[in-house]
Amino acid sequence: MLAAIAVALVASPAVADVPAPPTRLAVGLDTLWVLLAAFLVFFMQAGFGMVEAGFIRAKNTCNILTKNFVDYCSASIMFFLVGYAFMFGRGNGLIGWTGFALEGAENPSTVPLWAFWLFQAAFCGAAATIVAGGMAGRMKFHAYLMYTVVISAVVYPIVGHWVWGGGWLAGMGFGDFAGSTVVHATGGSAALIGMIVLGPRIGKYVNGKTRAIPGHNIPLASLGVFILWFGWFGFNPGSTLGMARDGGTCASLVAMNTTLSAAAGAITAMLTIWIIGGKPDLSMTMNGCLAGLVAITAPCAFIAPWAALTIGAVAGALVVGGALLLDRLRIDDPVGAVPVHGLNGIWGTLAVGIFAKAKYIRAADYDFREGLVYSGSFHQLGIQALGAGAVALFVLTAMGLVFLAIKGTVGLRVSRAEELRGLDISEHGMESYAGFQIFVTE
Amino acid sequence: MLAAIAVALVASPAVADVPAPPTRLAVGLDTLWVLLAAFLVFFMQAGFGMVEAGFIRAKNTCNILTKNFVDYCSASIMFFLVGYAFMFGRGNGLIGWTGFALEGAENPSTVPLWAFWLFQAAFCGAAATIVAGGMAGRMKFHAYLMYTVVISAVVYPIVGHWVWGGGWLAGMGFGDFAGSTVVHATGGSAALIGMIVLGPRIGKYVNGKTRAIPGHNIPLASLGVFILWFGWFGFNPGSTLGMARDGGTCASLVAMNTTLSAAAGAITAMLTIWIIGGKPDLSMTMNGCLAGLVAITAPCAFIAPWAALTIGAVAGALVVGGALLLDRLRIDDPVGAVPVHGLNGIWGTLAVGIFAKAKYIRAADYDFREGLVYSGSFHQLGIQALGAGAVALFVLTAMGLVFLAIKGTVGLRVSRAEELRGLDISEHGMESYAGFQIFVTE
Amino acid sequence: MLAAIAVALVASPAVADVPAPPTRLAVGLDTLWVLLAAFLVFFMQAGFGMVEAGFIRAKNTCNILTKNFVDYCSASIMFFLVGYAFMFGRGNGLIGWTGFALEGAENPSTVPLWAFWLFQAAFCGAAATIVAGGMAGRMKFHAYLMYTVVISAVVYPIVGHWVWGGGWLAGMGFGDFAGSTVVHATGGSAALIGMIVLGPRIGKYVNGKTRAIPGHNIPLASLGVFILWFGWFGFNPGSTLGMARDGGTCASLVAMNTTLSAAAGAITAMLTIWIIGGKPDLSMTMNGCLAGLVAITAPCAFIAPWAALTIGAVAGALVVGGALLLDRLRIDDPVGAVPVHGLNGIWGTLAVGIFAKAKYIRAADYDFREGLVYSGSFHQLGIQALGAGAVALFVLTAMGLVFLAIKGTVGLRVSRAEELRGLDISEHGMESYAGFQIFVTE
């Protein structure tokens, strides 16, 4: 009789308070969640495209949109052929090397390899495309093609291996739930070194003064921010990679924290620029929103809601300060890629070491130490700083060498005449807005 | 032996033909559904932004988009801090007052509190943003900030408490499945009183004649309508708050009825304006579609498909008539917020009392009387009228006082010079379409 | 004791490694998947709208967007009233005739009829709207209304019955997983015969030369392509109609193959036009992406990933060749509807007969012979060619008669003056971009 009860309990573990059983329904539920998340992360590519296009001038719009398409297409193909193997393959602490073209590939998830790949490939595409905006308006298109193949095939997968593929940072207990470091600090660092090597756009810094070059289509950019926020609901909550284990509790916390941080980032950025510049600038408000999203990406599963509000609020102020600092340094970042993704990718990563709380860490199925405010210890903060720093340094170096190699061979920058005329005509032979009367400025 | 069978049946109720058990899989399925719905309702914010921006002039576009962002950010933060407590907290029939910042908050759903909060917060944001369009082109930005905090923190949650939080209307058997009254009549009523207090835009009514002020970007507006329709699949079907109870039967009916009503609304609005105005105007067709969506929101789970077609068809005609009536009354509603959300929010609420059928009411897990066409009784219709009327009266009064208080202190309306120049420059110091040649009219 | 174990095992089949039981959870999971997919396919309507609008001139934009709305609304209403009955009703090999207005309708799926209907109705809307782009800029609006009712009520459902409703092609083992033939070849064929009957736009072919008429809003078009790709994740993976049967394995493969083909199509189209035309044209790159999506739609569940890359790569080259060929034939296809949907719909259908592999066919729960590269036999390829040919012939004939009948009665084409002025003003009495300075050309 007791045996029968035991059998019944073992045979239907879905009822018992243990992890859901590996049945087809549980797998189906997890797969549906991961596929939905992958679709949403894919859709972020549209958001990046609209933000980047809207924030630059009309004459370079087709160019940046083409880069956006090619980024995702390259990420899909290269991450299928080699990137996944470098990131999740068996290997050492630095890189994996099994599972090329997914043949015999490792699958660390509970869902079909193909679904897991799709989700990861969309992340790779996001990392690649962050750079497009930062180098807008002056880079040769075929130089860009080289860049995007390298970052999606090699550089991003290596960083991913360190953190999510069982590499050396994973082994140290580095915590990055959905990629503040893996995706955003990587993309932001690549953008930073790219814009340094490339130099500023003609007319941006004249006689020691910074001239604003306003975006040509703010409604489009604002649509892009909404699409990115929408897609981030795949990026962050989807990084639970399942629903069956805990009935979606972790994913729900992540979704709420993501929203609170984005909202706080938008509000503080608006207030900051209002105080500094005298007007509630929409571009800065939108970048504050994105900054809040980037910053919450690493800690979203590990923290309480009040911490999410705090992290977002800091991110909104940081993005304004970062943008002003870059102009002070004469580094021309047309869309704010570095303050949004680089600076706040690092801030979000550090925030794990400050605000992470044991009960949330365990509930997210992670295992590392509590942050400073709960433990009083700098231990986890140190690991977070080490991880973010190592990734930034690696990407700056690797991509710096790539950009210098391109510069020394096929060339990185278009001619002055081409830049003045706009890359749409000179590189693609087409206009973005045929029939419209548009004043082309430098 | 019999005991063993009993144990097995109790231990695996997922198999029996009874409501799904509270297992982790069932919760996971419900949570996935509610999160998906919340994401879609969030995305409606982009739809509202694009519709409102597209239907007004280029010179005020950044302004309305900033309001849109701030609406959602304010809704997220205020609904987290206090709104949820007022709406779902324990209290009396008028308001709740437990669960501030979600500490010890009530959770009437089967899904994690955080997921339920996200879904509800998105509804709050939608109610807030309906007003932005109605007051476009002439309202001070910091006055708007005050408005949006009050509606998302206090006014919307109180109405929500009455209907969905166990308040006095819920107790009477008032039926509003997804918010024709709670969200749309609330937003529409606030917009109506706002535009009356604010007065019409300069140049709208000249020498007793109405002058059309055409929208500046109809493709953007049409994208917005598609996004809203898309998001409405979260709004209405998602209001089942689960899938496990009935295998998604109710959600499927709701999704179909939503589509049929939207389609019918678009067609009848197009035909109505074609007959009246001589041309199949796209703006009116799109507002007809939205009117069909608003009207079906209350009854979607309670009615047969033929009734959905009927409700939508009436909504499409109503929205045209409502727009003409407002102009006759010299009330300037730049985007049609009142005919779409106010008038059709009330029509949809009444439609429950006309078309609701017992078998669908029960299948939706509700309990109130059948509508007029089945029961021959005006009982339910009377309750619906009472509920919609009470909400409209409350919102008109509360928001009227708020707008008058703002008007009497910091001021509600920009100066004539600022209005003529456009709010983008005067309030935000930026242009929506830098480089484009645009004729700025009054 | 053994009996107790048996009872426990039988009572909780979710645990055993057999097809998921017909419980409410399994149905709920399938329903959630089908509803999500239906929402995504609905959203493709926005993608079609933006692509078609962006690729034509500003003066005809409202017109094409109105058609887009009306297509979906007509599809919803007509497919509810009669289309579903023709497609899925009991009847003969050519057409069904039971289940009008869904009364007593057949339901071949495991999900509620209403959810299945919503998914199918969205497909019907997609087939209808493909034609709008091909006939842009010169067709009378009320002629278009007649066309769209006929295709969504009769022509599309008949084709659908042949392949998915148990008709004669289904009986032969014709394989079209998600509609390369049913949706895309149907839409593309209707567009082809329509543009032949209608004739080219004024100014397109002058003195034997082809003049490019550039699109007016490429960012909008690129957003549309991203939305279409996003929506295709509902179109193709959603065509599994469930998750519970196999835990989502088939849907995952489909999602990956869809992505790989789209990526390959974009890249080869870009390279092809770069070689032929000298520049990496974005419009062609985007159509290459869409071509890859169309071509993978039939085979996505039946093939290995390398075949998906191959199919997409061929599609990208085909779409460039097809566009050049149409211009050579003086057939004016403003948005590339025929090369994208017609030509690649047929290519994708044939690809099933080339690349389909037994283990994937079985895993997708289909039953037909392997393709040429595995079997060395032309058997399946022959059936695929027969099916695609029969559908194309039927649609060309049926829609040709419809267009000729419209032409002979109310007229198909607007006057020369109306065409030159633009259909927005002449047919709808409105402008797309009020306030913008736009040069109107022929």
Side-chain angles (χ1 to χ4, degrees):
Chain A
M1 182 64 192
L2 284 172
I5 295 173
V7 164
L9 284 174
V10 169
S12 52
V15 180
D17 191 28
V18 295
T23 67
R24 214 158 265 180
L25 276 180
V27 171
L29 184 63
D30 288 350
T31 304
L32 205 168
W33 179 239
V34 171
L35 286 177
L36 167 62
F39 304 163
L40 289 171
V41 180
F42 160 77
F43 197 43
M44 291 174 70
Q45 205 73 12
F48 281 116
M50 298 307 114
V51 168
E52 291 167 6
F55 276 166
I56 63 170
R57 282 164 298 177
K59 68 179 182 179
N60 298 318
T61 300
C62 283
N63 178 256
I64 205 148
L65 291 166
T66 313
K67 289 172 178 173
N68 232 272
F69 268 100
V70 170
D71 281 330
Y72 196 82
C73 295
S74 163
S76 297
I77 296 172
M78 300 315 297
F79 198 74
F80 171 74
L81 295 177
V82 298
Y84 189 90
F86 290 151
M87 186 156 169
F88 291 103
R90 285 186 305 279
N92 57 26
L94 292 174
I95 191 166
W97 57 69
T98 64
F100 293 96
L102 300 193
E103 288 298 320
E106 301 292 305
N107 179 1
S109 76
T110 63
V111 302
L113 174 64
W114 300 317
F116 182 68
W117 174 84
L118 191 76
F119 186 66
Q120 296 297 335
F123 273 61
C124 178
T129 211
I130 288 167
V131 178
M135 302 178 79
R138 56 215 196 271
M139 187 177 183
K140 283 186 178 174
F141 183 64
H142 57 265
Y144 191 84
L145 291 183
M146 294 177 194
Y147 145 79
T148 196
V149 166
V150 172
I151 197 167
S152 56
V154 184
V155 175
Y156 172 79
I158 288 177
V159 172
H161 184 76
W162 295 0
V163 180
W164 293 337
W168 70 277
L169 280 170
M172 289 184 65
F174 178 72
D176 182 3
F177 189 72
S180 287
T181 282
V182 175
V183 175
H184 297 284
T186 295
S189 300
L192 177 61
I193 194 68
M195 60 187 75
I196 290 173
V197 175
L198 196 55
R201 289 169 293 175
I202 297 169
K204 175 71 184 177
Y205 304 111
V206 179
N207 302 325
K209 293 225 172 108
T210 299
R211 282 176 41 197
I213 300 181
H216 84 285
N217 198 330
I218 304 301
L220 206 66
S222 87
L223 175 64
V225 175
F226 277 123
I227 291 175
L228 282 169
W229 191 340
F230 180 55
W232 234 288
F233 286 125
F235 209 92
N236 287 6
S239 288
T240 60
L241 295 175
M243 276 274 146
R245 183 181 63 81
D246 68 348
T249 305
C250 181
S252 301
L253 175 66
V254 169
M256 181 173 71
N257 280 343
T258 299
T259 295
L260 291 176
S261 181
I267 299 291
T268 54
M270 183 180 80
L271 296 177
T272 306
I273 193 68
W274 203 340
I275 292 165
I276 294 178
K279 300 267 188 187
D281 180 88
L282 175 56
S283 304
M284 211 48 107
T285 306
M286 295 196 290
N287 267 343
C289 178
L290 297 179
L293 289 164
V294 168
I296 201 65
T297 296
C300 53
F302 309 132
I303 59 165
W306 71 266
L309 283 170
T310 311
I311 291 167
V314 172
L318 264 183
V319 81
V320 178
L324 297 176
L325 179 66
L326 276 183
D327 272 341
R328 187 75 53 99
L329 297 171
R330 302 286 177 264
I331 298 172
D332 180 19
D333 183 356
V335 304
V338 170
V340 170
H341 299 280
L343 201 57
N344 277 294
I346 291 171
W347 158 235
T349 305
L350 297 178
V352 173
I354 300 173
F355 299 104
K357 191 170 177 178
K359 76 167 178 178
Y360 296 117
I361 298 170
R362 279 198 307 272
D365 212 14
Y366 269 71
D367 182 21
F368 56 79
R369 297 218 200 149
E370 282 196 310
L372 181 60
V373 300
Y374 296 102
S375 66
S377 153
F378 284 86
H379 181 268
Q380 189 60 33
L381 186 54
I383 292 176
Q384 299 298 119
L386 175 68
V391 167
L393 198 68
F394 167 66
V395 175
L396 288 169
T397 310
M399 291 311 304
L401 292 172
V402 169
F403 286 127
L404 287 173
I406 296 173
K407 189 176 185 175
T409 52
V410 300
L412 202 59
R413 187 161 180 150
V414 297
S415 72
R416 181 180 168 83
E418 286 169 330
E419 184 176 341
L420 290 176
R421 192 172 185 193
L423 302 187
D424 286 5
I425 298 286
S426 62
E427 290 278 57
H428 304 276
M430 62 193 296
E431 284 180 277
S432 292
Y433 301 97
F436 283 86
Q437 166 79 298
I438 297 175
F439 304 104
V440 176
T441 54
E442 305 160 323
Chain B
M1 183 64 192
L2 285 171
I5 295 173
V7 164
L9 284 174
V10 169
S12 53
V15 180
D17 190 28
V18 295
T23 67
R24 215 159 265 181
L25 277 179
V27 171
L29 184 63
D30 287 350
T31 304
L32 205 168
W33 178 241
V34 171
L35 286 177
L36 166 62
F39 304 164
L40 289 171
V41 180
F42 160 77
F43 196 43
M44 291 174 70
Q45 205 73 12
F48 281 116
M50 297 307 115
V51 167
E52 291 166 7
F55 275 166
I56 64 170
R57 283 163 299 177
K59 68 179 181 179
N60 298 318
T61 301
C62 283
N63 178 256
I64 206 148
L65 291 166
T66 313
K67 289 171 177 173
N68 232 272
F69 268 101
V70 170
D71 282 330
Y72 196 81
C73 296
S74 162
S76 297
I77 296 173
M78 299 315 296
F79 198 74
F80 171 74
L81 295 176
V82 299
Y84 188 90
F86 291 152
M87 186 156 167
F88 291 104
R90 284 187 305 281
N92 56 26
L94 293 175
I95 191 165
W97 56 69
T98 64
F100 293 95
L102 299 193
E103 288 299 319
E106 301 292 305
N107 179 1
S109 77
T110 64
V111 302
L113 174 64
W114 300 317
F116 182 68
W117 174 85
L118 191 74
F119 185 67
Q120 296 297 336
F123 272 61
C124 179
T129 212
I130 288 167
V131 178
M135 303 179 79
R138 56 216 196 269
M139 187 175 181
K140 282 185 179 175
F141 182 64
H142 58 263
Y144 191 85
L145 291 183
M146 294 177 194
Y147 145 78
T148 196
V149 166
V150 172
I151 198 167
S152 56
V154 184
V155 175
Y156 172 79
I158 288 177
V159 173
H161 184 77
W162 295 0
V163 180
W164 293 337
W168 70 277
L169 280 169
M172 289 184 65
F174 177 74
D176 183 3
F177 189 72
S180 287
T181 282
V182 176
V183 175
H184 297 284
T186 295
S189 300
L192 176 62
I193 194 68
M195 60 188 74
I196 290 172
V197 176
L198 196 55
R201 289 169 292 174
I202 297 168
K204 175 68 184 178
Y205 304 111
V206 179
N207 300 328
K209 294 228 172 105
T210 298
R211 283 176 41 196
I213 299 180
H216 85 284
N217 198 331
I218 304 300
L220 205 66
S222 87
L223 175 64
V225 174
F226 277 123
I227 291 175
L228 283 169
W229 191 340
F230 180 55
W232 233 288
F233 286 125
F235 209 91
N236 287 6
S239 288
T240 61
L241 296 175
M243 276 274 146
R245 184 180 63 81
D246 68 348
T249 305
C250 180
S252 301
L253 175 67
V254 170
M256 181 173 70
N257 280 344
T258 299
T259 295
L260 291 175
S261 181
I267 298 292
T268 55
M270 183 181 79
L271 296 177
T272 306
I273 193 69
W274 204 340
I275 292 165
I276 295 177
K279 299 268 189 188
D281 179 88
L282 176 56
S283 305
M284 210 50 106
T285 306
M286 295 196 290
N287 267 344
C289 178
L290 296 178
L293 289 164
V294 168
I296 201 65
T297 296
C300 53
F302 309 132
I303 60 165
W306 70 265
L309 283 170
T310 311
I311 291 167
V314 172
L318 264 184
V319 82
V320 178
L324 298 175
L325 179 66
L326 276 184
D327 272 341
R328 187 75 54 97
L329 298 171
R330 301 287 176 264
I331 298 171
D332 180 17
D333 183 356
V335 304
V338 170
V340 169
H341 300 280
L343 201 57
N344 277 294
I346 291 171
W347 158 235
T349 305
L350 297 178
V352 173
I354 301 173
F355 299 104
K357 193 171 176 177
K359 76 168 179 177
Y360 297 117
I361 298 170
R362 279 197 307 272
D365 212 14
Y366 269 71
D367 182 20
F368 57 79
R369 298 215 200 151
E370 282 195 309
L372 181 61
V373 298
Y374 296 103
S375 66
S377 153
F378 284 86
H379 181 267
Q380 189 61 33
L381 185 55
I383 291 175
Q384 298 298 117
L386 175 67
V391 167
L393 198 68
F394 167 66
V395 175
L396 288 169
T397 309
M399 291 311 303
L401 292 173
V402 169
F403 286 127
L404 288 172
I406 295 173
K407 189 175 185 175
T409 53
V410 299
L412 203 58
R413 188 161 179 149
V414 298
S415 72
R416 182 182 167 84
E418 287 168 330
E419 184 175 342
L420 290 176
R421 192 171 185 194
L423 303 188
D424 287 5
I425 297 287
S426 61
E427 291 278 59
H428 304 276
M430 62 192 297
E431 284 180 276
S432 292
Y433 302 97
F436 284 85
Q437 166 79 299
I438 297 174
F439 305 104
V440 176
T441 55
E442 307 161 317
Chain C
M1 182 65 192
L2 284 172
I5 295 173
V7 163
L9 284 175
V10 169
S12 52
V15 180
D17 190 28
V18 295
T23 67
R24 218 159 263 181
L25 277 180
V27 171
L29 184 63
D30 287 351
T31 304
L32 205 168
W33 178 241
V34 171
L35 286 177
L36 167 62
F39 304 162
L40 290 171
V41 180
F42 160 77
F43 197 42
M44 290 174 71
Q45 205 72 14
F48 281 116
M50 298 308 114
V51 167
E52 291 167 5
F55 276 165
I56 64 171
R57 284 164 297 178
K59 68 179 181 180
N60 298 319
T61 301
C62 283
N63 178 256
I64 205 147
L65 291 166
T66 312
K67 289 172 177 172
N68 232 272
F69 267 101
V70 170
D71 281 330
Y72 196 82
C73 295
S74 163
S76 296
I77 296 172
M78 300 314 297
F79 198 75
F80 171 75
L81 295 176
V82 299
Y84 188 91
F86 291 152
M87 186 156 168
F88 291 103
R90 285 186 305 280
N92 57 27
L94 293 174
I95 192 167
W97 56 69
T98 64
F100 293 95
L102 300 193
E103 287 299 320
E106 302 291 305
N107 179 2
S109 77
T110 64
V111 301
L113 174 65
W114 299 318
F116 183 67
W117 174 85
L118 192 75
F119 185 66
Q120 296 297 335
F123 273 60
C124 178
T129 212
I130 288 167
V131 178
M135 303 178 80
R138 56 217 198 269
M139 187 176 182
K140 283 186 177 173
F141 183 65
H142 57 264
Y144 191 85
L145 290 183
M146 294 177 195
Y147 145 79
T148 196
V149 167
V150 172
I151 198 166
S152 57
V154 184
V155 174
Y156 171 80
I158 288 176
V159 172
H161 184 75
W162 295 0
V163 180
W164 293 338
W168 69 278
L169 280 170
M172 290 184 65
F174 177 73
D176 183 3
F177 188 72
S180 287
T181 282
V182 176
V183 175
H184 297 284
T186 296
S189 301
L192 176 62
I193 194 68
M195 61 187 72
I196 290 172
V197 175
L198 197 55
R201 290 169 292 175
I202 297 169
K204 175 70 183 177
Y205 305 112
V206 179
N207 301 325
K209 294 227 173 105
T210 298
R211 282 176 41 196
I213 300 180
H216 85 285
N217 198 331
I218 303 300
L220 205 65
S222 87
L223 175 64
V225 174
F226 277 123
I227 291 175
L228 283 169
W229 191 339
F230 179 56
W232 234 288
F233 286 125
F235 209 91
N236 287 7
S239 289
T240 60
L241 296 174
M243 275 276 146
R245 184 181 61 81
D246 68 349
T249 305
C250 180
S252 302
L253 174 67
V254 169
M256 181 174 69
N257 280 343
T258 299
T259 294
L260 291 175
S261 181
I267 299 291
T268 55
M270 184 181 79
L271 295 177
T272 306
I273 193 69
W274 204 340
I275 292 165
I276 294 178
K279 299 268 188 187
D281 180 87
L282 175 57
S283 304
M284 211 49 107
T285 306
M286 295 196 289
N287 267 344
C289 178
L290 296 179
L293 289 164
V294 168
I296 202 65
T297 296
C300 53
F302 309 133
I303 59 165
W306 70 265
L309 283 171
T310 311
I311 291 167
V314 172
L318 264 183
V319 81
V320 178
L324 298 176
L325 178 66
L326 276 184
D327 272 341
R328 187 73 54 96
L329 298 170
R330 300 288 177 264
I331 298 172
D332 180 19
D333 183 357
V335 304
V338 170
V340 169
H341 300 279
L343 200 58
N344 277 294
I346 291 171
W347 158 235
T349 305
L350 297 178
V352 173
I354 301 172
F355 299 105
K357 191 171 178 178
K359 75 167 178 177
Y360 297 118
I361 298 171
R362 279 197 308 273
D365 212 14
Y366 269 71
D367 181 20
F368 56 79
R369 298 217 200 149
E370 282 196 311
L372 180 60
V373 298
Y374 296 102
S375 66
S377 153
F378 283 86
H379 181 268
Q380 189 60 33
L381 186 54
I383 291 175
Q384 299 297 119
L386 176 69
V391 167
L393 198 68
F394 167 66
V395 175
L396 288 169
T397 310
M399 292 312 302
L401 291 173
V402 169
F403 286 127
L404 287 173
I406 296 173
K407 190 176 186 174
T409 52
V410 300
L412 203 58
R413 187 160 180 150
V414 298
S415 72
R416 181 181 167 83
E418 287 168 330
E419 184 176 341
L420 290 176
R421 193 173 185 192
L423 302 188
D424 287 5
I425 298 287
S426 62
E427 290 279 57
H428 304 276
M430 62 193 296
E431 284 179 277
S432 292
Y433 301 96
F436 284 85
Q437 166 79 297
I438 297 174
F439 304 104
V440 176
T441 54
E442 305 161 321

